Amino acid sequence: MQNLNGKRVVITGGSQGLGLAMVEALAACGANVTAIGRDQANLTPAEHAGAAVIAGDATDATLMNCVVRQEVPDVLILNAGARLPMKPIDQQSWDEFSTTWNTDVKAGLIGIQAALNTPMKPGGRVLVMSSGASMVFAVPFIAPESLRLSGGYIGAKRMLWFMAHSANTVSRERELGLQFQMLVPCQLIPGTTLGHQVAAAYAAIEGVSVDEHVMHRYGSILRPAQVGEGVAALLGDPRYMHGVAYGIRSDSDILPLDL
C-alpha cells in the first residue's frame, strides 16, 4: 500500500452521497482533500470530515481550470452528477432524458479537459465516477429491461467510461504522464439519495421493499462507506495504478473491468 498522507485530492460532488463518503475515507487516510459542491451549506459535512470546500458548479470550465491550477491536485475525482427522472421512455421529455448528459457527462468533460489542458502535474490520476448501469450490454451482463426507467442515464454513464479511454490517449500522445481511470460501483446503493430513488421505483413495480429489491438483484448491499474505502484502496495500491476501469462490490475485491 502506498501512503496517501499529504496527497492533494479534489473531489467534485463532494457534499453528499458517494462524494462525501470518498471525502471521509481519503481524509481519514491523511490526504489533503478539497470538496466541491454547488451549495455552500451542504458542504458542512465535508468540512467536518476535515476537507477544504469550494462552492461551485463542476460544469463551469472557468471554475475547474482555476481549481486544477491553484489546488495542484495529485488526484482529481470527477463525481458530480444529477438525479434522474424515473419514467418509462414513452413518458420522458427530451430535457428529462438528457438530464444526466447535461450534468454528469458535461462535468466529466469539463474536468477531463481541465486536467489535460492546465495540465495536472505528471503522475496525476483522474478518477471518473460512473455507475453499474454502464454495465448494460457488457460483462457481467445486466438485462436492459431491468433498467427500463432510467432513460438517458445508461448511455451517459457508458460515455464516461469511453471518455476515460479517450483522455488516456491524449495523455500518451502529449506525454503528460496522467492516468485517467473509470470507477464503477457495481451495485445499486440504497444509502445514497439517487440509489434509494432508483431502488424505490423498481421496488414499487415489484411490490417489495427497497432492500429486498437490491438483495434480489445483487445478493448484497453496497454501502457508501464501502465505496469510499474502495477508492482509498484503489489509490493506495500500486496494482491499480495502470488499469482504466475498476468495479467495487460489497462482496469482493476491486474488480478489473477492462480486458
Side-chain angles (χ1 to χ4, degrees):
M1 296 292 290
Q2 294 182 327
N3 189 359
L4 296 178
N5 189 51
K7 295 292 186 181
R8 301 183 65 85
V9 181
V10 171
I11 303 175
T12 67
S15 62
Q16 58 184 320
L18 297 186
L20 179 58
M22 290 185 282
V23 167
E24 293 170 340
L26 295 175
C29 291
N32 295 324
V33 180
T34 298
I36 300 176
R38 292 188 180 190
D39 191 332
Q40 180 73 44
N42 291 341
L43 285 164
T44 299
E47 288 185 292
H48 289 166
V53 299
I54 297 173
D57 187 341
T59 65
D60 180 345
T62 300
L63 170 69
M64 291 305 298
N65 288 330
C66 183
V67 166
V68 171
R69 186 178 303 110
Q70 294 183 356
E71 296 293 324
V72 195
D74 299 289
V75 179
L76 174 62
I77 302 179
L78 303 176
N79 174 69
R83 298 171 193 171
L84 65 156
M86 298 297 295
K87 297 179 181 179
I89 197 167
D90 59 320
Q91 297 177 23
Q92 291 196 24
S93 68
W94 172 247
D95 285 343
E96 291 172 325
F97 186 87
S98 59
T99 295
T100 313
W101 289 83
N102 291 327
T103 51
D104 304 44
V105 176
K106 183 177 181 181
L109 177 64
I110 294 299
I112 286 171
Q113 290 178 335
L116 290 170
N117 294 332
T118 302
M120 285 175 61
K121 59 186 178 182
R125 292 167 74 177
V126 179
L127 301 188
V128 183
M129 297 299 296
S130 184
S131 163
S134 65
M135 302 296 291
V136 172
F137 304 128
V139 177
F141 178 73
I142 298 177
E145 59 268 22
S146 297
L147 296 170
R148 60 192 179 278
L149 302 181
S150 297
Y153 182 84
I154 312 303
K157 292 302 183 180
R158 189 69 177 181
M159 176 54 71
L160 289 168
W161 192 329
F162 176 75
M163 288 161 61
H165 279 278
S166 297
N168 279 319
T169 299
V170 174
S171 177
R172 287 192 299 270
E173 290 175 347
R174 291 173 53 190
E175 299 181 346
L176 296 176
L178 302 177
Q179 178 71 9
F180 293 81
Q181 298 177 299
M182 207 272 305
L183 194 59
V184 176
C186 293
Q187 297 166 262
L188 192 59
I189 306 173
T192 65
T193 301
L194 175 60
H196 189 274
Q197 172 196 9
V198 173
Y202 289 110
I205 293 173
E206 298 166 3
V208 299
S209 70
V210 166
D211 282 359
E212 286 172 333
H213 166 74
V214 175
M215 287 296 294
H216 175 72
R217 180 173 292 185
Y218 301 102
S220 61
I221 293 179
L222 181 61
R223 310 291 181 186
Q226 292 173 298
V227 176
E229 292 162 3
V231 171
L234 181 87
L235 292 173
D237 192 325
R239 292 178 298 172
Y240 306 122
M241 287 184 63
H242 302 295
V244 178
Y246 291 100
I248 294 177
R249 284 186 58 94
S250 65
D251 53 2
S252 71
D253 293 332
I254 293 174
L255 305 168
L257 297 179
D258 274 320
L259 297 176

